Amino acid sequence: MNQSKIEVKDLNLSIGNQHILKNINCKIPSRKITVILGSSGCGKSTLLKSMNRLTDLYPKVKISGDILLNNQGIFGKEVEVTDLRKKMGLMSQRPAPLPMSIFDNVAYGLRISGRKKKLQMKLRVEYYLKVVNLWDEVKDRLKAPASSLSIGQQQRLCLARGLAVDPELILADEPTSALDPLSSQVIEKKFMELKDSFTIVWVTHTLRQAKRMADHVIFMYLGEIIEQGPAEEFFNNPQHEITKNFLNGSFN
Amino acid sequence: MTALSLKRIYQDKLNTVVMIMALTLVITTPLIIFASLYTKSSMLFASDHSLWDLLFSSAWEPTKGKFGFLPFIISSIEITILSVIIAAPICFLVAIHLTQYAKHWFVKIMYPVTDILAGIPSVVYGVWGILVVVPLVSDVIAPFFGIQTTGYTLLTGAIVLSIMIIPFILNILIEILNTVPFELTEAGLSLGSTRWQVIKHIILKKAKPGIISAFGLGIARAFGETIAVLMVAGNVIKIPDGLFSASYPLPALIANNYGEMMSIPLYDSALMFGALILFVTIFLFNLVSRIVIYRLERSL
């Protein structure tokens, strides 16, 4: 049986009287990169953020349907939402370094979950900064504010910070959209390595990036999923008219 | 060149001139105020009063030419600090609630409420203070501590003052907390923080300089408030020796006495010197607060 990490069932989400996600049904396969593809405003970020219930924060939000993580519903009353969120590292469009030092940014997640041993902390921070290839660039200024880093470095720091709390998934919301091509490449490459150990959901509107990265594609249009499936099938043999138009660029 | 374009150029020039004039007026007003206060009060220095004596002597006997401002300065400082101590936690909690927890519709209701509170004339707060806070202090709070008082005290003034500065500080705090990017909240929550951990470790940290300057502006505001405080603070010339002692802040001194007893030599100069102290203090407080806000905005 195909292992799916996340399963979305009949998800509907509206904010006020705006119906943003319509009857979403999809599966996110384990330890693969699933790309949610679609043009701006189609609801792909909202779908991503409903997976770790950041959508709870939206004013006037209404949600029906269910999302299963490891076959367990995430909206149930017994679900501890902080635990749920910790299982999913988030990268946003623009890096959002916390207002503290480089070191503390990575250590933050460890600290709030109660780990306090100093040496262990140091080792872990170093480890995760190495994972994202940032260690050599920052090892001499770990105490400097995170905002002093370049934007590409900040994004890698945010990745290290997310990885440090030991998540099962990484939710990436167009994490390269604010970066220069070179920094984008670094991040993309990192994710290709990470997919062996993590389930990755990557939101993008860039077709070429989706082609480069996707194992599995979910294509959205105006709040609905039009088509989904393994990347090869999706790109080579699209079934739906809208998908075909999007893929050959005659899309508006 | 057509007549129309000539007219437009003319209008444009005229507009610029008028605007510059208006601007000049706004910029020079504080300078003019400072200059006139200084000129008037400098007569005190000319007649053998040292700055040290004026600021740190508590002998206020105008008829003998003694002008020690210490009781008024201490009264002002104490009443201001006390009012900010009362107002600060309230502003802080309300601002956090409104920006982080409250439902959208509730926030919408609260904005006009704070605006109304901020717009109520000072004298109305004074009357309300006499009607409500003075009896509250004399009949409830002071007896609780075993003290007898008329109710016209340092504490009364501070309570009324704190209620007046709450909407003012609150508005600035809300604005500052709203400038903290939402992505930071999302990032914090994704790392497994509770809502409160996000507020404590991330949002308040990011907003810290702004929060400090909000209270700075609040202090400056409280320091200069006149009528309401004058009506309830007691106005006895002595250094207050406790919460239930009467006090006499600087603005009340000036408002109560200017125009009276002007035959006493140098009396008006002394009052001008009081005004100068207020002016300089508030100016410095505002300046520092603005600098902090400016730095904050640049770093966001």
Side-chain angles (χ1 to χ4, degrees):
Chain A
M1 195 189 139
N2 180 21
Q3 280 184 313
S4 55
K5 190 77 186 166
I6 285 191
E7 199 176 338
V8 182
K9 284 181 169 174
D10 298 323
L11 184 73
N12 276 280
L13 186 147
S14 51
I15 294 177
N17 46 23
Q18 241 184 321
H19 199 169
I20 293 179
L21 296 177
K22 299 167 190 163
N23 299 319
I24 301 291
N25 282 287
C26 63
K27 288 180 177 173
I28 310 283
S30 190
R31 302 203 175 188
K32 292 215 160 71
I33 296 183
T34 300
V35 167
I36 304 178
L37 183 63
S39 46
S40 303
C42 70
K44 52 195 192 311
S45 290
T46 311
L47 176 58
L48 187 83
K49 284 176 184 174
S50 57
M51 289 176 189
N52 71 350
R53 287 183 54 185
L54 281 177
T55 43
D56 289 6
L57 305 183
Y58 297 174
K60 296 187 193 168
V61 70
K62 260 198 213 122
I63 302 173
S64 70
D66 208 355
I67 297 178
L68 307 180
L69 170 69
N70 303 327
N71 294 318
Q72 291 197 311
I74 64 164
F75 293 115
K77 280 201 176 113
E78 71 289 348
V79 175
E80 191 66 64
V81 69
T82 50
D83 287 343
L84 172 77
R85 288 184 180 136
K86 227 169 68 179
K87 289 181 188 152
M88 311 186 195
L90 176 80
M91 285 184 84
S92 49
Q93 296 187 9
R94 295 183 60 82
L98 305 177
M100 44 188 89
S101 71
I102 295 168
F103 182 93
D104 288 343
N105 258 273
V106 184
Y108 176 82
L110 300 170
R111 285 198 184 119
I112 55 164
S113 48
R115 266 167 265 183
K116 289 208 167 93
K117 284 199 185 118
K118 258 199 165 166
L119 181 70
Q120 204 192 353
M121 186 81 80
K122 263 188 180 164
L123 291 173
R124 286 182 76 113
V125 170
E126 180 176 339
Y127 172 77
Y128 287 108
L129 285 172
K130 278 178 177 163
V131 169
V132 299
N133 304 344
L134 195 58
W135 177 253
D136 289 330
E137 295 160 57
V138 301
K139 63 182 176 202
D140 301 322
R141 49 172 177 145
L142 290 169
K143 291 234 166 79
S147 55
S148 67
L149 296 174
S150 78
I151 201 154
Q153 289 172 323
Q154 284 182 19
Q155 197 60 299
R156 275 182 282 154
L157 180 69
C158 291
L159 179 59
R161 175 181 79 185
L163 293 177
V165 294
D166 212 6
E168 300 171 18
L169 284 105
I170 303 170
L171 308 178
D173 186 6
E174 301 188 40
T176 61
S177 65
L179 306 187
D180 60 272
L182 205 66
S183 306
S184 302
Q185 230 175 36
V186 175
I187 296 272
E188 280 185 23
K189 225 176 106 196
K190 199 77 248 169
F191 271 82
M192 299 304 273
E193 291 167 30
L194 289 172
K195 72 175 177 184
D196 294 333
S197 353
F198 298 93
T199 302
I200 293 166
V201 188
W202 179 288
V203 164
T204 185
H205 60 256
T206 321
L207 186 56
R208 269 176 301 172
Q209 190 173 51
K211 279 185 176 165
R212 280 196 298 271
M213 302 191 64
D215 298 314
H216 192 86
V217 181
I218 295 170
F219 174 61
M220 291 181 71
Y221 180 66
L222 297 179
E224 288 177 275
I225 292 183
I226 304 297
E227 194 166 341
Q228 57 182 315
E232 207 155 306
E233 250 171 68
F234 177 86
F235 290 119
N236 295 331
N237 191 14
Q239 301 298 312
H240 204 285
E241 203 57 34
I242 300 175
T243 321
K244 285 177 192 163
N245 286 341
F246 187 85
L247 291 180
N248 65 33
S250 59
F251 193 73
N252 48 35
Chain B
M1 204 170 274
T2 66
L4 181 70
S5 69
L6 254 180
K7 191 182 162 200
R8 275 162 52 173
I9 290 168
Y10 196 64
Q11 259 180 350
D12 192 47
K13 284 240 166 76
L14 193 69
N15 278 340
T16 316
V17 170
V18 173
M19 280 184 244
I20 287 174
M21 274 164 60
L23 192 67
T24 315
L25 188 72
V26 172
I27 293 173
T28 49
T29 308
L31 291 175
I32 295 170
I33 292 177
F34 177 80
S36 33
L37 289 178
Y38 182 78
T39 321
K40 195 78 182 163
S41 52
S42 63
M43 285 179 217
L44 273 182
F45 304 117
S47 64
D48 215 22
H49 291 81
S50 75
L51 186 62
W52 179 267
D53 276 349
L54 288 169
L55 291 178
F56 298 108
S57 152
S58 54
W60 181 263
E61 293 165 75
T63 43
K64 294 181 189 161
K66 286 184 181 167
F67 301 105
F69 277 91
L70 195 62
F72 309 105
I73 294 173
I74 299 281
S75 286
S76 270
I77 291 174
E78 287 187 355
I79 216 164
T80 302
I81 290 175
L82 195 57
S83 69
V84 174
I85 288 174
I86 298 170
I90 298 171
C91 292
F92 211 59
L93 295 175
V94 174
I96 289 174
H97 181 81
L98 286 181
T99 55
Q100 309 298 324
Y101 292 101
K103 294 256 185 274
H104 195 62
W105 61 266
F106 186 67
V107 177
K108 267 189 161 168
I109 295 175
M110 279 306 287
Y111 281 137
V113 171
T114 52
D115 284 346
I116 289 167
L117 277 177
I120 294 175
S122 181
V123 67
V124 175
Y125 278 105
V127 173
W128 174 80
I130 293 173
L131 289 176
V132 178
V133 186
V134 170
L136 181 76
V137 170
S138 71
D139 301 345
V140 182
I141 302 178
F144 181 79
F145 292 98
I147 293 170
Q148 268 206 325
T149 157
T150 56
Y152 291 88
T153 64
L154 181 72
L155 180 66
T156 320
I159 291 174
V160 172
L161 195 51
S162 68
I163 289 164
M164 295 180 70
I165 59 173
I166 281 172
F168 179 76
I169 297 179
L170 191 59
N171 276 339
I172 306 176
L173 276 184
I174 287 174
E175 235 167 81
I176 281 162
L177 290 179
N178 278 336
T179 60
V180 177
F182 188 61
E183 285 80 6
L184 281 180
T185 305
E186 291 189 330
L189 291 175
S190 309
L191 294 170
S193 318
T194 60
R195 203 67 211 269
W196 176 244
Q197 283 173 322
V198 169
I199 292 167
K200 188 174 142 204
H201 298 302
I202 299 171
I203 295 179
L204 292 185
K205 198 159 180 196
K206 183 83 179 170
K208 199 165 148 196
I211 292 168
I212 293 168
S213 62
F215 287 113
L217 290 173
I219 289 172
R221 176 76 175 240
F223 199 69
E225 175 48 44
T226 312
I227 294 296
V229 178
L230 173 159
M231 290 165 77
V232 298
N235 303 340
V236 176
I237 304 169
K238 60 166 188 174
I239 294 174
D241 52 7
L243 287 180
F244 300 106
S245 160
S247 66
Y248 206 161
L250 264 177
L253 168 77
I254 301 163
N256 272 340
N257 296 298
Y258 199 80
E260 317 257 330
M261 302 190 290
M262 282 308 173
S263 54
I264 299 170
L266 290 177
Y267 195 67
D268 61 335
S269 295
L271 294 181
M272 286 302 150
F273 180 72
L276 188 65
I277 298 174
L278 277 177
F279 181 90
V280 171
T281 312
I282 290 171
F283 175 78
L284 289 178
F285 248 104
N286 269 298
L287 189 70
V288 172
S289 304
R290 292 285 166 197
I291 290 172
V292 175
I293 289 182
Y294 174 72
R295 291 218 169 144
L296 172 81
E297 280 170 350
R298 233 180 13 171
S299 73
L300 279 178

